[in-house]
Amino acid sequence: MSNQPEKSIAVALLDALTSLKLAIVLLALLMVLVLACTLAQVDLGTHGAVERYMRSWLVWWRPDGASSSIPVLPGGTPVGGLLIVNLSAAQIRKLQLNWRKAGLWLIHIGLILLVAGEFVSAMLQVDARLTFEEGHSANYVERTRQYEVAVVDTSDPKFDDEFGIPESLLRDGATLTIPKTPLQVKVVAYMRNSELRNRADKDPKSNATAGVGPEITVQGLPPVTADDAQDTPSAYIDVLAGGSSKGVFLLSAGISAVQGFSHGGRTYRLDLRLRREYLPYSLTLKDFSHDVYPGTDIPKNFSSLVRLLHPERGEDRTVLIYMNQPLRYEGRTFYQASFGKNDTMSVLQVVQNPGWLMPYVSCTLVTLGLLIHFGLSLGRLQRRQVRTATAVGAT
Amino acid sequence: MNGRRILLGFAAVTATLIAASGFFDSGKGRQGVDVVAFGQLPAQEGGRIKPIDSLARNALLMIRSKQTVRADGRTLSATEWLLDTMFRPQLADTYPIFVVDDPDVLGLMGMPQTAERYYSFDRLRNHTSKVQAQASAARRVDAKQRTRFQSAVVQLFDRMYLYYRIKHTLQIEGGAGLADELARAHTQAGQERAQAIAELAYFRVLPSTGKGDWRNVGEGMMALHAGMPQPVLEHYAALQKAYVAGDATAFAAACTKVLDAGHRADAEAVGVAGHELQFNRAQPFYNGMVLYVVALLLLFASWAYKPETLRPLAYVLLIAGLIVHTGGLVSRTIVQGRPPVTNLYSSAVFVGWGAALLGAVLERMYRNGFGAVVAAASGFVSLIVAHHLAADGDTMEMMRAVLDSNFWLATHVITITIGYSGTFVAGAIAAGWAIRRHALRNPDPQASKSLASMTYGIQCFSLLFSFAGTVLGGIWADQSWGRFWGWDPKENGALLIVLWIAILMHARWGGYVRERGLMAMSIAGMAITAFSWFGVNMLGVGLHSYGFTDKAFSALAGFMGLCVLLLGLCLAPPRFRVVRTLAAGLSFQNGAATPHG
């Protein structure tokens, strides 16, 4: 078929897509990206470097003194995506189904699963944190690097009614209606990162008209990339209750003062905070311990003794979470991550990743495949050597 | 044949002598004092119980970068140096132990730079405050941003402070000795002195029953004051008196009493410390290095002279080196109670062992002398690298909480380091192939082919282990902090190795590279492995950024340079043939030209 003088464009494209050359070029590109991503971590931090080289379509570069950037390399997304297409298509098109190729099948299926698993993680993995002090309980986790504006009805002393507006909806000028309340909020301005200071006389008048905002000057900043740095987002929010404004509030992750208003006999609190997700169960920190090796400050162990209470399921038990020993519960995994307040506060990293098992499966498949493939090759090589030896012996 | 047997026997005896050389030293110090008996005593430092011998060696390594001192016209062992420092400080102050080679630091102390590198405490004594002031100023600068002078002055001060702490471990310097301190322990002034020792003491000598914290001498004196008898303190007081008086008998008796008390308190830990002392004395990695280098020299010689005689001799020494190396690894594993790779130092020892073993296996399969050269060379080089990495102090330091998992250390770390061994062996064979084609007039194409098949086989092996090790690392990360892959520099380094070998395999299957390409890619693979192994640690970012040293940087740069050179050799056309073809071409032009095939 391929001997025909003019191949159809589709066949030519398929040939190119499944070619070994493309695989090699893509692997080489991936190496360049990985190397660049590694070296760039010195300046950009891991998160920044990964965003720039691995989780991008194109890698941009701005020559010194130039005003605009030019794309110099394809990013990790197209390279990884094409590699998976190349791998799958070549596997299906070229490799025969026979036992001699069993190892190659296992290797390549395992690799497809591995890369697919990474895509699943990149899309679906949710990272959060749970912070609690000894003797205290928590029934929510906080998303890392995601914020929300919360409107909390605190009228009932027994419970709070909370409504969170995720960052993605906080577009300048947007007006959002809070369900089951007569309230509407209008986003006057949202800044992903900012710096706050007490307003000086020469500063321009604040946009805020209510709460502590009028006394504060806000300067917008670009978002941070370093791994240990955190953004301080701020927002000017105009609250409309029953059609009339309650004033423009300045909300910020950098403001700890409680701000709020009353309307129709109910009291509301406003907050800009890390986005919360509530759990149908609660965790109580019974004890946090932090051991060091005698006479040193080398940490030997961190562990949180936690009471897990899930009323709906009638579960009430104690679990010990420590290094290399997370708690996996209802699709979330709780890891011992950090601590503070003189060893009385514990921070758990909470991860939801539906694809977490894929690397385990993939690793087993590929390793098995490599063993089978190289084992078979070695066997063939030895048979050939024996044959050569007998041939030499016969002459 | 008989003569050959005698020669082999001679080689075996030589190998045994080299392997056992550590035990020939009598271990006796001045006036016949049994220094080794003191070195055997258990102490707690750096979070674990170890023999004083280990502690002395590591302290001297940190101060002097060597495990011995030349003084008084003889060589002092680390333990004897420690004894002098603690009990006869005036004498120890004259020993040239502080390495000062930074001209600016010397200038600070008003000294010109000379060929002399080592300075005694007596010579530095008057400059202590200047050094301290400069060091505390430099310490405010982040370690990575410091200038050469700042790093050097901080280092010198740290060394002087360590020396000061050692002096105040068992007594206050300038006092009348431990017995006198104990007699005064019940007075107010005595308690203040006890407090000072408790804060300064470098290690703890008073055992606790069970697994608890040991006490140092100062803490012991305070416990004594509180009414808890401290028999071991009395033994140490007697030991000190005997040492100062040069009474070998009393010294040995006091050592025995301290050791017995240790055994009664924690027999297991003290027993392990005893093994560690034997391990230190045997110096398996140093002796292994000597055996490997002798084997290597014999192999080189065998190419030029009497191969049938020299090669078996080299094999005997190589096997002896491997046995000693293996023994050392096993002892370390037992003493530490951990899998063999726990830090950069032990990874070098292990990678070298794996490479030497692989080389030996190749030699057994192909019997062309090539595997043996690779085995001896990689064993030797890796043990030298390990020797230099050991200069930071204790190589058996405790594992931080996140690394405290024997299961993952045994699976991920071991697998990935075996992968490193593989890429280095493949690279070494390729390097040999590259040199060979320039050195030999008529290289045998069959031999060349068999080298290529060796290299390819080893690369298959490396791919298997590198891949499995990398993914196991991801799984460990998933277990310990909830993400499989985080693009951490060390993870990326491991991925680079896997990708490179994958490219090599596909390029070979596709016919894009043949023998020479395979060899060139294997040499480059060595450079990539070195980057992934050491280079990423030097970036100082990420979760694996342990063990950074400046010296390591120039060593790594040197190795990269060597790889580039080898790559050039590998890719250049065989030189001799070029010259001969040119010569042949000229003669053709002179005579009647015939078309050259």
Side-chain angles (χ1 to χ4, degrees):
Chain A
M1 303 167 280
S2 52
N3 289 346
Q4 282 172 355
E6 43 199 288
K7 285 188 284 190
S8 72
I9 294 174
V11 171
L13 198 69
L14 195 62
D15 279 349
L17 209 58
T18 56
S19 73
L20 195 57
K21 263 187 199 150
L22 180 67
I24 292 173
V25 168
L26 289 173
L27 285 172
L29 273 175
L30 194 55
M31 272 191 87
V32 173
L33 286 175
V34 170
L35 185 64
C37 171
T38 309
L39 298 177
Q41 291 188 21
V42 177
D43 295 327
L44 295 178
T46 306
H47 184 74
V50 170
E51 292 295 319
R52 176 159 179 201
Y53 291 98
M54 308 315 301
R55 304 221 162 122
S56 61
W57 286 92
L58 283 170
V59 177
W60 296 85
W61 174 67
R62 177 185 295 191
D64 280 337
S67 56
S68 58
S69 307
I70 46 169
V72 281
L73 273 176
T77 309
V79 172
L82 257 180
L83 202 55
I84 245 193
V85 171
N86 171 271
L87 200 65
S88 326
Q91 187 65 27
I92 293 163
R93 189 153 178 251
K94 290 190 184 156
L95 281 176
Q96 315 90 317
L97 257 184
N98 71 33
W99 286 110
R100 282 179 55 196
K101 304 282 180 194
L104 289 181
W105 273 97
L106 283 179
I107 296 167
H108 289 128
I109 291 175
L111 285 177
I112 292 169
L113 268 182
L114 186 68
V115 182
E118 268 315 279
F119 271 102
V120 170
S121 297
M123 309 302 255
L124 301 179
Q125 176 163 336
V126 177
D127 287 297
R129 297 205 140 198
L130 188 151
T131 308
F132 49 4
E133 287 179 46
E134 278 178 351
H136 291 259
S137 305
N139 64 342
Y140 63 85
V141 296
E142 288 174 329
R143 293 280 279 269
T144 26
R145 293 176 188 270
Q146 278 193 39
Y147 295 86
E148 67 181 5
V149 164
V151 181
V152 185
D153 182 346
T154 57
S155 315
D156 194 321
K158 286 199 216 70
F159 60 87
D160 290 346
D161 231 348
E162 303 203 357
F163 189 85
I165 306 164
E167 203 179 7
S168 54
L169 298 178
L170 297 175
R171 278 188 296 272
D172 293 0
T175 303
L176 303 143
T177 306
I178 312 286
K180 293 187 226 158
T181 65
L183 306 179
Q184 275 189 316
V185 297
K186 188 171 171 226
V187 183
V188 178
Y190 177 71
M191 284 155 273
R192 174 67 216 235
N193 189 17
S194 61
E195 193 178 53
L196 308 183
R197 62 168 186 270
N198 286 328
R199 205 179 85 84
D201 291 336
K202 59 179 175 13
D203 287 344
K205 196 172 164 298
S206 169
N207 288 338
T209 59
V212 297
E215 299 308 313
I216 297 174
T217 298
V218 187
Q219 173 98 51
L221 290 178
V224 294
T225 57
D227 299 316
D228 45 359
Q230 277 229 323
D231 287 325
T232 306
S234 299
Y236 288 107
I237 299 287
D238 189 359
V239 180
L240 306 164
S244 66
S245 172
K246 288 281 175 187
V248 176
F249 289 85
L250 169 65
L251 306 179
S252 170
I255 295 178
S256 54
V258 177
Q259 304 188 75
F261 60 93
S262 327
H263 175 74
R266 306 198 76 87
T267 23
Y268 297 93
R269 196 180 76 225
L270 292 167
D271 220 348
L272 200 170
R273 62 188 189 193
L274 282 169
R275 188 171 157 198
R276 286 185 186 180
E277 271 170 24
Y278 284 86
L279 309 170
Y281 47 91
S282 72
L283 298 178
T284 310
L285 182 61
K286 293 169 80 169
D287 185 36
F288 175 74
S289 47
H290 168 199
D291 307 326
V292 294
Y293 290 103
T296 66
D297 47 16
I298 304 174
K300 186 177 182 195
N301 188 29
F302 309 105
S303 63
S304 296
L305 189 66
V306 172
R307 178 182 171 198
L308 168 66
L309 187 66
H310 195 160
E312 273 172 43
R313 294 194 166 189
E315 261 188 272
D316 182 0
R317 60 188 167 106
T318 305
V319 284
L320 184 67
I321 300 172
Y322 55 101
M323 283 291 162
N324 297 316
Q325 203 58 54
L327 162 70
R328 293 193 191 272
Y329 189 69
E330 298 217 320
R332 282 189 171 84
T333 313
F334 298 81
Y335 302 86
Q336 183 66 52
S338 184
F339 58 96
K341 294 207 174 162
N342 229 345
D343 293 353
T344 62
M345 186 184 85
S346 177
V347 181
L348 303 180
Q349 175 85 9
V350 186
V351 178
Q352 253 181 313
N353 180 7
W356 74 276
L357 255 178
M358 287 170 91
Y360 293 73
V361 178
S362 141
C363 172
T364 317
L365 286 181
V366 177
T367 309
L368 206 66
L370 285 168
L371 275 174
I372 292 175
H373 185 69
F374 294 145
L376 287 176
S377 311
L378 197 68
R380 270 202 301 280
L381 184 77
Q382 258 171 0
R383 274 198 300 281
R384 206 178 305 151
Q385 273 179 346
V386 170
R387 230 178 294 135
T388 329
T390 28
V392 170
T395 50
Chain B
M1 259 305 73
N2 219 359
R4 199 177 145 182
R5 248 189 226 163
I6 291 171
L7 257 179
L8 285 183
F10 173 72
V13 170
T14 313
T16 316
L17 285 179
I18 294 177
S21 59
F23 293 100
F24 298 151
D25 172 22
S26 70
K28 295 280 188 284
R30 234 174 272 106
Q31 286 151 313
V33 168
D34 189 351
V35 173
V36 174
F38 181 74
Q40 194 180 353
L41 302 183
Q44 191 179 45
E45 188 272 320
R48 71 185 183 97
I49 294 156
K50 51 179 117 174
I52 283 183
D53 179 79
S54 290
L55 195 150
R57 283 170 194 262
N58 294 330
L60 194 53
L61 261 181
M62 283 188 266
I63 294 174
R64 192 172 187 266
S65 307
K66 289 217 162 51
Q67 292 193 352
T68 51
V69 193
R70 239 357 254 166
D72 283 354
R74 60 193 197 98
T75 304
L76 274 67
S77 71
T79 307
E80 196 174 0
W81 162 77
L82 189 83
L83 273 168
D84 284 345
T85 307
M86 293 192 302
F87 298 145
R88 308 177 75 175
Q90 277 166 328
L91 187 62
D93 284 347
T94 64
Y95 296 163
I97 54 166
F98 294 94
V99 191
V100 189
D101 42 17
D102 186 275
D104 295 343
V105 173
L106 286 169
L108 178 73
M109 300 187 287
M111 301 182 191
Q113 189 163 34
T114 57
E116 189 179 22
R117 286 182 70 216
Y118 297 105
Y119 294 80
S120 67
F121 185 73
D122 276 342
R123 293 192 59 192
L124 304 181
R125 185 190 294 280
N126 294 332
H127 308 289
T128 317
S129 51
K130 271 183 280 180
V131 172
Q132 180 168 13
Q134 289 293 333
S136 47
R139 221 180 270 286
R140 273 176 239 129
V141 181
D142 183 53
K144 269 178 273 166
Q145 316 289 327
R146 285 180 200 153
T147 63
R148 195 198 64 213
F149 166 74
Q150 286 172 328
S151 307
V153 81
V154 166
Q155 193 180 40
L156 178 61
F157 179 72
D158 285 348
R159 289 171 168 174
M160 291 168 78
Y161 186 61
L162 174 59
Y163 182 71
Y164 182 71
R165 286 185 67 191
I166 292 172
K167 281 180 171 176
H168 291 87
T169 299
L170 296 182
Q171 61 173 24
I172 294 273
E173 190 187 2
L178 184 55
D180 178 58
E181 302 286 355
L182 293 184
R184 288 203 275 170
H186 294 288
T187 65
Q188 178 64 31
Q191 280 302 297
E192 278 166 20
R193 293 172 76 88
Q195 184 67 42
I197 300 180
E199 280 166 20
L200 284 171
Y202 177 54
F203 52 93
R204 304 166 170 200
V205 292
L206 306 180
S208 83
T209 43
K211 297 284 166 204
D213 289 12
W214 287 33
R215 286 199 176 107
N216 66 33
V217 165
E219 289 159 348
M221 284 159 67
M222 290 193 268
L224 192 67
H225 180 63
M228 287 181 267
Q230 301 290 324
V232 178
L233 270 184
E234 306 286 341
H235 302 331
Y236 264 101
L239 190 152
Q240 183 206 24
K241 221 178 241 172
Y243 187 75
V244 175
D247 183 344
T249 327
F251 184 80
C255 285
T256 311
K257 281 185 185 158
V258 174
L259 191 62
D260 286 347
H263 269 295
R264 278 195 300 277
D266 189 346
E268 193 195 337
V270 173
V272 171
H275 285 169
E276 187 173 336
L277 175 80
Q278 299 309 324
F279 172 81
N280 289 346
R281 295 196 73 200
Q283 307 188 38
F285 301 135
Y286 182 79
N287 294 334
M289 187 162 85
V290 173
L291 285 167
Y292 283 134
V293 77
V294 177
L296 190 64
L297 291 176
L298 277 175
L299 283 166
F300 285 156
S302 77
W303 290 342
Y305 180 73
K306 290 207 175 172
E308 299 79 17
T309 314
L310 290 184
R311 212 187 262 180
L313 288 184
Y315 287 171
V316 170
L317 287 164
L318 175 64
I319 301 290
L322 251 177
I323 291 172
V324 170
H325 197 164
T326 312
L329 268 177
V330 172
S331 316
R332 237 188 93 92
T333 310
I334 293 171
V335 168
Q336 207 181 4
R338 296 268 176 207
V341 185
T342 52
N343 52 17
L344 210 52
Y345 164 81
S346 50
S347 74
V349 170
F350 189 80
V351 166
W353 178 78
L357 197 65
L358 265 178
V361 169
L362 283 178
E363 184 60 42
R364 174 121 184 74
M365 283 167 66
Y366 289 83
R367 293 176 192 280
N368 54 6
F370 230 83
V373 169
V374 168
S378 42
F380 170 65
V381 171
S382 64
L383 288 182
I384 283 198
V385 170
H387 181 76
H388 285 281
L389 289 174
D392 297 338
D394 194 357
T395 62
M396 292 194 229
E397 75 268 58
M398 305 314 284
M399 306 297 290
R400 300 188 161 270
V402 67
L403 300 175
D404 184 13
S405 156
N406 280 353
F407 175 73
W408 291 111
L409 283 173
T411 49
H412 157 63
V413 180
I414 295 294
T415 320
I416 203 130
T417 36
I418 291 177
Y420 291 169
S421 301
T423 50
F424 279 116
V425 168
I429 300 175
W433 180 90
I435 295 169
R436 187 174 168 276
R437 64 199 282 267
H438 293 283
L440 292 189
R441 205 165 264 275
N442 280 313
D444 171 15
Q446 201 53 46
S448 191
K449 212 174 152 189
S450 100
L451 286 183
S453 103
M454 278 161 89
T455 309
Y456 174 71
I458 294 290
Q459 290 292 18
C460 294
F461 173 91
S462 322
L463 181 62
L464 174 64
F465 280 89
S466 302
F467 177 83
T470 307
V471 180
L472 283 170
I475 291 179
W476 184 7
D478 183 57
Q479 289 287 330
S480 60
W481 49 80
R483 53 142 194 76
F484 173 72
W485 193 262
W487 304 104
D488 172 274
K490 200 77 181 176
E491 296 170 350
N492 290 353
L495 180 63
L496 286 177
I497 299 178
V498 173
L499 286 173
W500 186 245
I501 308 179
I503 293 178
L504 181 154
M505 299 266 149
H506 287 93
R508 189 175 169 278
W509 292 326
Y512 305 124
V513 299
R514 297 186 186 282
E515 205 173 289
R516 189 168 59 164
L518 173 72
M519 294 306 191
M521 288 187 81
S522 296
I523 290 174
M526 253 192 325
I528 292 172
T529 310
F531 172 76
S532 151
W533 187 9
F534 291 104
V536 292
N537 294 0
M538 294 172 192
L539 297 176
V541 283
L543 302 153
H544 293 78
S545 59
Y546 44 78
F548 173 91
T549 51
D550 293 325
K551 262 180 277 169
F553 180 77
S554 36
L556 181 71
F559 181 76
M560 295 289 183
L562 179 70
C563 285
V564 171
L565 188 75
L566 286 167
L567 204 58
L569 273 183
C570 187
L571 293 175
R575 188 127 166 260
F576 288 104
R577 257 190 276 162
V578 174
V579 175
R580 265 184 294 131
T581 322
L582 272 178
L586 283 176
S587 65
F588 282 132
Q589 279 177 2
N590 289 343
T594 14
H596 186 56

